[in-house]
Each structure stands twice: as structure tokens, then as C-alpha cells.
Amino acid sequence: MGSGEVAHGHAGEAGTSIMMYLYPELVDTSKGIDEVPKQKDLFPEIIKYSRYSTKTESGVIGYSTTATSQKGEVLVQRSVDRIVHFLYDTWDIPHS
């Protein structure tokens, strides 16, 4: 799953997949765009703020056309499982 380094880009594959899973009625797949950033980010782990127009023409970073509801379901479930695991381990919440 995932389109490489831009899978989690703005309005890309991951986010669009999650929306397709949670709120399919809000997703118009006919408007899907695949666009990679204008410049490669050498430090993607550092949050930086700049105008999206410096990064992309459309506002999309990634491949929204490769998104699916099934990918969204997997991403949501993995995220929920990870949060629950964090709560059990960090807050000593007993498993039910």
C-alpha cells in the first residue's frame, strides 16, 4: 500500500483513501489528481510551513487517483489499533 514518499501528501493517496472509507459521499473521484511536489523535500520529517503554491499547482501532493476505500479502512484500523496500544502501554489501562 502506498505511493512511496508522497503517499501521505496533502489530499494524496492516504488522506483520500481515508475519506473514501469514512465519508465516501464527500469524495468526487472524477476530480482526482496525481501531482508530485515541485521540489524534493530533503527533510520531510521536519514540519515546515510555506504556501502550497510553492509546492504544487493543484494543492494535491501525491496520487489521489490511487486511493481506495479499502486502503482507507486499513489505515483507519491501523491508526485506531496503534492509539489503543499506546493507551494500554502508557496509561496502564487494563485490557478488556
Side-chain angles (χ1 to χ4, degrees):
M1 177 195 308
S3 298
E5 66 186 61
V6 293
H8 296 282
H10 186 260
E13 181 180 11
T16 303
S17 291
I18 290 170
M19 289 301 294
M20 290 172 82
Y21 171 62
L22 295 175
Y23 303 102
E25 69 279 5
L26 299 179
V27 180
D28 183 351
T29 56
S30 72
K31 294 183 178 179
I33 295 173
D34 294 338
E35 186 171 342
V36 296
K38 293 177 181 180
Q39 299 175 342
K40 183 170 178 65
D41 187 352
L42 299 178
F43 300 95
E45 71 281 6
I46 298 173
I47 297 173
K48 300 169 286 300
Y49 300 96
S50 62
R51 292 181 179 266
Y52 263 86
S53 60
T54 64
K55 300 177 184 181
T56 173
E57 294 298 321
S58 65
V60 172
I61 296 178
Y63 303 95
S64 64
T65 62
T66 61
T68 68
S69 176
Q70 294 79 13
K71 290 177 185 177
E73 182 176 12
V74 169
L75 289 167
V76 168
Q77 190 58 55
R78 285 182 185 174
S79 297
V80 170
D81 290 347
R82 190 75 176 133
I83 291 167
V84 168
H85 184 77
F86 167 80
L87 293 174
Y88 287 150
D89 286 359
T90 305
W91 293 1
D92 294 323
I93 295 174
H95 296 253
S96 53

